Amino acid sequence: MPFVKIELTREGVTREQKQQLISGVTNLITEVLNKDPQLTHIVIQEINLDDWGHGGEQVSVLREKGITANKK
Amino acid sequence: MPFVKIELTREGVTREQKQQLISGVTNLITEVLNKDPQLTHIVIQEINLDDWGHGGEQVSVLREKGITANKK
Amino acid sequence: MPFVKIELTREGVTREQKQQLISGVTNLITEVLNKDPQLTHIVIQEINLDDWGHGGEQVSVLREKGITANKK
Amino acid sequence: MPFVKIELTREGVTREQKQQLISGVTNLITEVLNKDPQLTHIVIQEINLDDWGHGGEQVSVLREKGITANKK
Amino acid sequence: MPFVKIELTREGVTREQKQQLISGVTNLITEVLNKDPQLTHIVIQEINLDDWGHGGEQVSVLREKGITANKK
Amino acid sequence: MPFVKIELTREGVTREQKQQLISGVTNLITEVLNKDPQLTHIVIQEINLDDWGHGGEQVSVLREKGITANKK
């Protein structure tokens, strides 16, 4: 009975990327824990950039400064 | 001091249904645990169908296939 | 696809009371929203009294002062 | 590694107030726990008044009755 | 800035399985969303079987009846 | 009606530090949003080091490597 909540900043995540996250996490849990995927629920929650703070600053401010969360 | 979070798929839940959930859960907690209802908070969070995954698929895809969450 | 999280202070909730909360909330959601109970998951999380704050004070301190959360 | 979620009713919180919450909570955690602010994430989630229940009633109904959450 | 919470029933998940979940979800998010893994936090929360309800019954009761969450 | 959840790694947080977090966050919300502190609830949840992942690794492994979350 796993329930997974993925919170991320709202920055253009596509429907296909969401599907990849949902199928990927479900498969991982099935493989690692041998859980029935029918008992696995995943919820993705996108957060506006004004509503996420990192290092004491809004992500919207960080992005205006050119600071991204991208992999280098 | 109970706090209750109800997450459900966004599929036309009405204001009246939300009120029924809020009063019903509050009454249940008052009866079972003898808690002061003024200390009970309930939050309902509706999730878009692209953002909820079940069995590895987006609920939006399940609905397109005619699979519902309705009681049989 | 509802997922419900009930957070409450750890103050002697019994196994039977937990079962009453689980069946009560599940029935309520089935009646109000016509949801298949097999798709409804409920999680109860008990919080230690030092870890819950209300009105700026730890509940453990409120209890020492004789302030309860009981229904009057 | 702290993660903080602030849920509050959607009642005209401004971008500046959100920034004050984010910097204030981050500073508090840095001072009290000596945590690196780069490892502190804060998420603010605003909840519609129909979706928050207190004392068994929707906050939207409480507000129509003139009951506010303001400090006296 | 993703934050992921995995809630599952406490049924003998090992330290190695937790590490597999953490590295697997982090890698997935890096691949699908191109996010810096240093900004990805994962929290696993195990829930006692009396505290998780499915279909209106405690999971501890379901397990006593021989109903598991294992993949068939 | 704010509800605040603070999740942090279990690394010797004292009762006094928890009280400082609870009173500090409550005061901040009262000042910034003018909210009645009696409607503000704070929950602190400590997470075992095996159950928190950062950068794809368990925090317990990071600590064994001498990597801390302390402010420099």
Side-chain angles (χ1 to χ4, degrees):
Chain A
M1 271 88 175
F3 179 80
V4 180
K5 183 85 171 270
I6 302 173
E7 293 179 79
L8 28 80
T9 42
R10 180 172 277 127
E11 301 184 85
V13 181
T14 66
R15 193 187 184 203
E16 286 66 32
Q17 287 174 316
K18 290 176 181 177
Q19 177 53 39
Q20 288 176 300
L21 291 175
I22 285 169
S23 63
V25 172
T26 305
N27 288 342
L28 180 73
I29 286 173
T30 305
E31 282 162 29
V32 173
L33 299 177
N34 192 38
K35 291 281 189 187
D36 181 356
Q38 289 303 317
L39 295 173
T40 297
H41 293 263
I42 319 272
V43 166
I44 297 169
Q45 185 175 351
E46 292 176 280
I47 306 290
N48 290 329
L49 300 195
D50 279 354
D51 297 341
W52 193 302
H54 180 224
E57 284 205 276
Q58 284 170 307
V59 173
S60 56
V61 173
L62 297 175
R63 294 293 177 270
E64 288 164 10
K65 293 181 179 173
I67 300 169
T68 76
N70 291 346
K71 184 162 180 272
K72 278 101 198 172
Chain B
M1 270 88 173
F3 180 79
V4 180
K5 183 85 171 270
I6 302 172
E7 294 179 78
L8 27 80
T9 43
R10 179 171 278 127
E11 302 184 84
V13 182
T14 67
R15 193 186 185 204
E16 286 67 30
Q17 287 174 316
K18 290 176 181 177
Q19 177 54 39
Q20 288 176 300
L21 291 175
I22 285 168
S23 63
V25 172
T26 305
N27 288 342
L28 180 73
I29 286 173
T30 305
E31 283 162 29
V32 173
L33 300 177
N34 191 38
K35 292 282 187 187
D36 180 357
Q38 290 302 317
L39 295 172
T40 297
H41 292 264
I42 320 272
V43 167
I44 297 168
Q45 186 176 352
E46 293 176 279
I47 306 290
N48 291 328
L49 301 195
D50 280 354
D51 296 340
W52 193 301
H54 179 225
E57 284 203 277
Q58 284 169 309
V59 173
S60 55
V61 172
L62 296 175
R63 294 292 177 270
E64 288 164 10
K65 292 181 179 175
I67 300 169
T68 77
N70 291 346
K71 184 161 179 273
K72 276 101 197 172
Chain C
M1 271 87 174
F3 180 79
V4 180
K5 183 84 170 269
I6 302 172
E7 292 178 80
L8 28 81
T9 41
R10 180 172 278 128
E11 302 183 85
V13 182
T14 66
R15 194 186 184 204
E16 286 65 33
Q17 287 174 316
K18 290 176 181 178
Q19 177 53 38
Q20 288 177 300
L21 291 175
I22 286 169
S23 62
V25 172
T26 306
N27 289 342
L28 180 74
I29 286 173
T30 304
E31 283 163 27
V32 173
L33 299 177
N34 192 38
K35 292 282 188 189
D36 181 356
Q38 290 302 317
L39 295 172
T40 297
H41 293 263
I42 320 272
V43 166
I44 297 168
Q45 185 175 352
E46 292 176 279
I47 306 290
N48 291 329
L49 301 194
D50 279 354
D51 296 341
W52 193 301
H54 179 224
E57 283 204 277
Q58 283 170 308
V59 173
S60 56
V61 173
L62 297 175
R63 294 292 177 270
E64 288 163 10
K65 292 181 179 173
I67 300 168
T68 75
N70 291 346
K71 184 162 179 272
K72 277 101 197 170
Chain D
M1 271 87 174
F3 179 80
V4 180
K5 183 85 171 270
I6 302 173
E7 294 179 77
L8 27 81
T9 42
R10 179 172 278 128
E11 303 183 85
V13 181
T14 66
R15 193 186 185 204
E16 285 66 30
Q17 288 174 315
K18 289 176 182 178
Q19 177 54 38
Q20 288 177 300
L21 291 175
I22 285 168
S23 63
V25 172
T26 305
N27 288 342
L28 180 73
I29 286 173
T30 304
E31 283 162 29
V32 174
L33 300 177
N34 193 37
K35 292 282 189 187
D36 180 357
Q38 290 302 318
L39 294 172
T40 297
H41 293 263
I42 319 272
V43 167
I44 297 169
Q45 185 175 352
E46 292 177 279
I47 306 291
N48 291 328
L49 301 194
D50 279 354
D51 297 341
W52 193 302
H54 179 224
E57 283 204 276
Q58 284 170 307
V59 173
S60 55
V61 172
L62 296 175
R63 294 292 177 270
E64 289 164 10
K65 293 181 179 175
I67 300 168
T68 76
N70 291 346
K71 184 161 179 274
K72 276 101 199 172
Chain E
M1 272 87 174
F3 180 79
V4 180
K5 182 85 171 269
I6 302 172
E7 292 177 80
L8 28 80
T9 42
R10 179 171 279 128
E11 303 183 85
V13 182
T14 66
R15 193 186 184 203
E16 286 66 32
Q17 288 174 314
K18 289 176 182 178
Q19 177 54 37
Q20 288 176 300
L21 291 175
I22 286 168
S23 63
V25 172
T26 305
N27 288 343
L28 181 73
I29 286 172
T30 305
E31 284 162 27
V32 173
L33 300 177
N34 191 37
K35 292 281 188 189
D36 180 355
Q38 289 303 318
L39 295 171
T40 297
H41 293 263
I42 319 272
V43 167
I44 297 168
Q45 186 176 351
E46 293 176 279
I47 306 289
N48 290 329
L49 301 195
D50 280 354
D51 297 341
W52 193 301
H54 179 225
E57 283 203 278
Q58 284 169 307
V59 173
S60 55
V61 173
L62 296 175
R63 294 292 177 272
E64 288 164 11
K65 292 182 178 174
I67 300 169
T68 77
N70 291 346
K71 184 161 179 273
K72 276 102 197 169
Chain F
M1 272 88 174
F3 180 80
V4 180
K5 182 85 170 270
I6 303 173
E7 294 178 80
L8 29 80
T9 42
R10 178 172 279 127
E11 302 183 86
V13 182
T14 67
R15 193 186 184 203
E16 286 65 33
Q17 288 174 313
K18 290 176 182 179
Q19 177 54 37
Q20 288 176 299
L21 292 175
I22 285 169
S23 63
V25 172
T26 305
N27 288 342
L28 180 74
I29 286 173
T30 305
E31 283 162 27
V32 173
L33 300 177
N34 192 37
K35 292 281 188 188
D36 181 356
Q38 289 302 317
L39 295 171
T40 298
H41 293 263
I42 320 272
V43 167
I44 297 169
Q45 186 175 351
E46 292 176 279
I47 306 290
N48 290 329
L49 301 194
D50 280 354
D51 297 341
W52 193 301
H54 179 224
E57 283 204 278
Q58 284 170 307
V59 173
S60 55
V61 173
L62 297 174
R63 294 293 176 270
E64 288 164 11
K65 292 181 180 175
I67 300 168
T68 77
N70 291 346
K71 184 161 180 275
K72 277 102 196 170

